[in-house]
Amino acid sequence: MASANEELQNLIDDPGQWAIQTGDYQNHRYSVLDQITKDNVGDLQVDWTFSTGVLRGHEGAPLVIGDVMYVHTPFPNIVYALDLKDDGRIIWKYEPKQDPAVIPVMCCDTVNRGVAYADGKIFLHQADTTLVALNAETGEVDWSVQNGDASIGETNTATVMPVKDKVLVGISGGEFGVRGHLTAYNIADGTMAWRAYSLGPDEDMLIDPENTTHLGKPIGENSSLDSWEGDQWKIGGGTTWGWYSYDPELDLVYYGTANPSTWNPAQRPGDNKWTMTIMARNPDDGMAKWFYQKTPHDEWDYDGVNENILVDQEIDGEMRKLLVNFDRNGFGYTLDRETGELLVAEKFDPAVNWASEVVVDKESDQHGRPQVVAEFSTEQNGEDVNTTGICPAALGSKDQQPAAFSPETGLFYVPTNHVCMDYEPFRVNYTAGQPYVGATLSMYPPKESHGGMGNFIAWDATKGEIKWSLPEKFSVWSGALATAGNVVFYGTLEGYLKAVDAETGDELYKFKTPSGIIGNVMTYTVDDRQYVAVLSGVGGWAGIGLAAGLTNPTDGLGAVGGYASLSDYTALGGQLTVFSVPE
């Protein structure tokens, strides 16, 4: 077995700490802490709070290493170290000086999904793509490196992930024609170890045409170049702003690539490989083992960056090493994470209509491909034609807000968007640093539904079935947390922290925090007492109208009109709220 970063792995294994944004390398977002149970969670109370001093969308979660909590903010990406033994006293504060010109280049709010820890360092990937390693004790900069160029639209919204002696870093900016990549920097000094592009020549992508596979078959030479017209791949998107996971036994990292550029499919004929793809790579040299492209020639902006959750479960009587992915396109995928074999692909929101199915039959010439419904094909309907009633909307049946997995129930707990759209593509020219979108969108709840724009669901990934579903007024844009107390937590855009029964979905507790929740719920202990914490601060794509003061319904890439009534329920804020059950 390949050894992960040993110190970090030990911290991850300690349930009293929250050492990595995803809870663990497998992205389970599950805690074995069980002081807070379904029987006493109703007694939960606010223990303490902390104002971040920043407005706009607060995604991600704090980390807890030892008795110190590390809290981050959206732009300007302040980091606080708080002393949990001394009423949250601020030990240090890091406030980078970034050019505010990066703000309008960030497509969907100035969010950041949190810091990472390894080897005594706190890693922050700033909006302007500066990656800094801060001394965890003092907040001083150990080293910093520039990962991209904001002047051509390259920005960052994601967290990073330390694996062994490297830290893995993505890039945002698909709406500006950025060519996506994943980069590994050496933790010790910030030097670049490797960079793997999402598209382009084989050598740029770190692929071996004979040994890198797609659905079990070698991808062959020039697999990406042959799927683009001319040089369109150079501004082709496939950015990497989602989550990463790692299997130390297989020594593979997994992540997804985003939408192709532009949003007008007529300008980029072909499958546009390897956008919209789950990638499995060796963390030491970046070489790709397998790919799976979920939405070839994406016509709807269904980015493929959502988290890949690694579980071992039984399918057809056989224990399998699985990878589970809830894609923006509305399909829940279950793959063999060793080989990339597709095992299950089913809709996790019944409203999904852009495709009838994803073909799982290996004998079919359509194996692995979604079967596009002509009525909802923006490509087939053509440029300057408004295709109406497409479900889901571009923000997907689930965006980056991470699901949780409980080994106790074997179920996945998934925050979802229940939203449809109209989509009108138009011809657009590329200019470096300028938006390169090429579509006008409007969003709204599905017809003949519960009237709301979200559900929180429990999912069986071995069968591809919804076990229960809780309707919500707005999209559930918060990351879930599952615990051994048989409680699952999530937040709502109105600002509620909710606790539900892991088996039944019955609501056990709710508390309204000062602003809408798009942060991810986490848990930790101090002096053997369990706490639950979440960041409030409405924003993100769903809350961009509120966060940025936009009122035109088609602004915010179509989200402003769909979520216009959100301002009736919450206001801007930036606060950490920490809960516990009274002793």
Side-chain angles (χ1 to χ4, degrees):
M1 181 196 286
S3 66
N5 178 309
E6 198 171 328
E7 182 208 17
L8 179 55
Q9 189 61 61
N10 289 338
L11 291 171
I12 291 169
D13 292 341
D14 177 355
Q17 313 197 47
W18 194 265
I20 190 168
Q21 286 292 330
T22 50
D24 56 26
Y25 275 134
Q26 292 73 37
N27 281 244
H28 288 178
R29 304 194 57 79
Y30 171 80
S31 173
V32 299
L33 297 179
D34 60 3
Q35 282 180 22
I36 298 170
T37 68
K38 63 182 184 182
D39 298 320
N40 68 14
V41 71
D43 299 328
L44 214 58
Q45 291 182 3
V46 175
D47 200 277
W48 60 281
T49 61
F50 176 77
S51 172
T52 67
V54 178
L55 301 179
R56 311 265 317 223
H58 283 59
E59 290 184 349
L63 298 183
V64 170
I65 310 290
D67 294 321
V68 180
M69 175 182 280
Y70 299 94
V71 179
H72 70 286
T73 77
F75 186 92
N77 306 133
I78 300 168
V79 182
Y80 297 94
L82 307 180
D83 188 345
L84 296 175
K85 291 281 200 176
D86 188 9
D87 295 333
R89 176 181 64 85
I90 299 171
I91 301 168
W92 54 257
K93 174 185 178 183
Y94 170 74
E95 186 165 8
K97 299 291 177 259
Q98 299 183 71
D99 186 342
V102 75
I103 293 173
V105 191
M106 302 180 79
C107 98
C108 315
D109 202 8
T110 58
V111 297
N112 183 284
R113 294 185 196 96
V115 295
Y117 172 87
D119 292 356
K121 299 176 177 69
I122 293 292
F123 297 95
L124 167 70
H125 195 192
Q126 298 170 186
D128 65 4
T129 78
T130 305
L131 173 67
V132 294
L134 307 174
N135 182 299
E137 290 185 8
T138 66
E140 291 172 4
V141 177
D142 277 1
W143 54 256
S144 98
V145 64
Q146 203 65 28
N147 188 52
D149 179 358
S151 73
I152 61 168
E154 292 179 332
T155 56
N156 177 66
T157 54
T159 187
V160 301
M161 190 173 76
V163 175
K164 299 198 271 191
D165 60 349
K166 297 178 178 63
V167 58
L168 304 182
V169 182
I171 199 82
S172 307
E175 282 57 62
F176 289 78
V178 167
R179 180 182 169 215
H181 49 72
L182 183 73
T183 307
Y185 292 97
N186 291 308
I187 285 174
D189 58 8
T191 54
M192 188 189 293
W194 52 260
R195 171 167 284 174
Y197 283 90
S198 304
L199 51 160
D202 293 349
E203 57 271 22
D204 287 11
M205 292 189 64
L206 304 185
I207 53 181
D208 177 341
E210 296 309 312
N211 292 312
T212 302
T213 61
H214 181 256
L215 294 170
K217 295 176 180 169
I219 59 174
E221 286 186 26
N222 301 323
S223 59
S224 176
L225 295 180
D226 290 349
S227 69
W228 291 86
E229 191 172 73
D231 282 348
Q232 182 74 24
W233 59 270
K234 292 181 178 177
I235 49 171
T239 51
T240 48
W241 54 270
W243 303 92
Y244 319 109
S245 43
Y246 174 56
D247 183 332
E249 213 167 274
L250 298 175
D251 201 22
L252 290 173
V253 295
Y254 304 90
Y255 66 101
T257 64
N259 55 293
S261 301
T262 108
W263 289 19
N264 177 5
Q267 287 185 244
R268 45 172 175 80
D271 275 357
N272 308 136
K273 294 173 179 171
W274 291 95
T275 63
M276 318 297 284
T277 296
I278 298 171
M279 296 190 163
R281 293 184 183 273
N282 180 301
D284 295 325
D285 59 11
M287 285 300 290
K289 181 167 186 188
W290 60 259
F291 294 161
Y292 171 54
Q293 189 178 37
K294 294 170 287 187
T295 314
H297 187 61
D298 169 44
E299 308 169 35
W300 311 268
D301 181 47
Y302 292 153
D303 293 55
V305 300
N306 290 356
E307 76 283 3
N308 297 294
I309 305 171
L310 314 182
V311 298
D312 295 349
Q313 285 187 305
E314 201 173 283
I315 287 195
D316 297 331
E318 183 188 350
M319 281 299 289
R320 302 286 293 261
K321 292 179 184 292
L322 303 178
L323 176 152
V324 176
N325 177 280
F326 299 95
D327 194 65
R328 286 261 288 269
N329 70 18
F331 285 86
Y333 295 88
T334 306
L335 290 88
D336 182 306
R337 68 176 180 269
E338 194 164 5
T339 63
E341 179 189 352
L342 179 62
L343 302 170
V344 178
E346 297 290 345
K347 297 173 183 179
F348 62 93
D349 183 338
V352 173
N353 64 11
W354 68 277
S356 57
E357 64 171 332
V358 172
V359 177
V360 180
D361 178 10
K362 288 183 192 150
E363 305 307 313
S364 168
D365 64 353
Q366 293 295 297
H367 177 217
R369 291 184 79 93
Q371 301 303 290
V372 175
V373 176
E375 180 186 350
F376 304 115
S377 168
T378 69
E379 163 98 8
Q380 293 176 50
N381 293 337
E383 288 179 315
D384 304 315
V385 174
N386 191 28
T387 298
T388 61
I390 305 166
C391 306
L395 41 69
S397 294
K398 183 176 113 40
D399 202 283
Q400 60 75 35
Q401 59 270 40
F405 169 74
S406 169
E408 303 283 320
T409 62
L411 298 176
F412 296 77
Y413 301 96
V414 191
T416 73
N417 312 313
H418 192 54
V419 189
C420 303
M421 68 175 170
D422 301 342
Y423 189 114
E424 183 175 336
F426 58 85
R427 185 116 325 219
V428 62
N429 293 318
Y430 173 77
T431 304
Q434 296 301 310
Y436 185 54
V437 179
T440 304
L441 279 64
S442 57
M443 302 185 191
Y444 43 83
K447 296 176 177 66
E448 299 167 10
S449 184
H450 57 72
M453 299 175 75
N455 296 294
F456 187 74
I457 69 169
W459 177 262
D460 181 337
T462 63
K463 299 187 176 79
E465 289 176 359
I466 297 170
K467 286 302 186 187
W468 47 255
S469 179
L470 310 177
E472 288 286 352
K473 185 185 297 289
F474 296 105
S475 294
V476 187
W477 211 268
S478 150
L481 170 73
T483 71
N486 270 318
V487 182
V488 176
F489 295 91
Y490 67 98
T492 74
L493 274 173
E494 307 100 299
Y496 285 104
L497 174 78
K498 293 191 174 184
V500 299
D501 186 309
E503 297 278 1
T504 64
D506 293 341
E507 189 176 293
L508 304 170
Y509 174 82
K510 72 175 181 179
F511 176 87
K512 195 167 188 190
T513 67
S515 184
I517 298 176
I518 63 170
N520 304 332
V521 192
M522 55 82 76
T523 187
Y524 65 95
T525 62
V526 173
D527 294 332
D528 298 323
R529 188 171 173 201
Q530 183 181 358
Y531 297 85
V532 170
V534 70
L535 285 166
S536 301
V538 73
W541 193 355
I544 188 64
L546 252 180
L550 306 176
T551 53
N552 184 333
T554 60
D555 278 354
L557 299 172
V560 172
Y563 294 86
S565 65
L566 187 55
S567 60
D568 295 339
Y569 293 90
T570 192
L572 295 183
Q575 179 171 305
L576 175 76
T577 309
V578 181
F579 301 81
S580 67
V581 173
E583 291 178 294

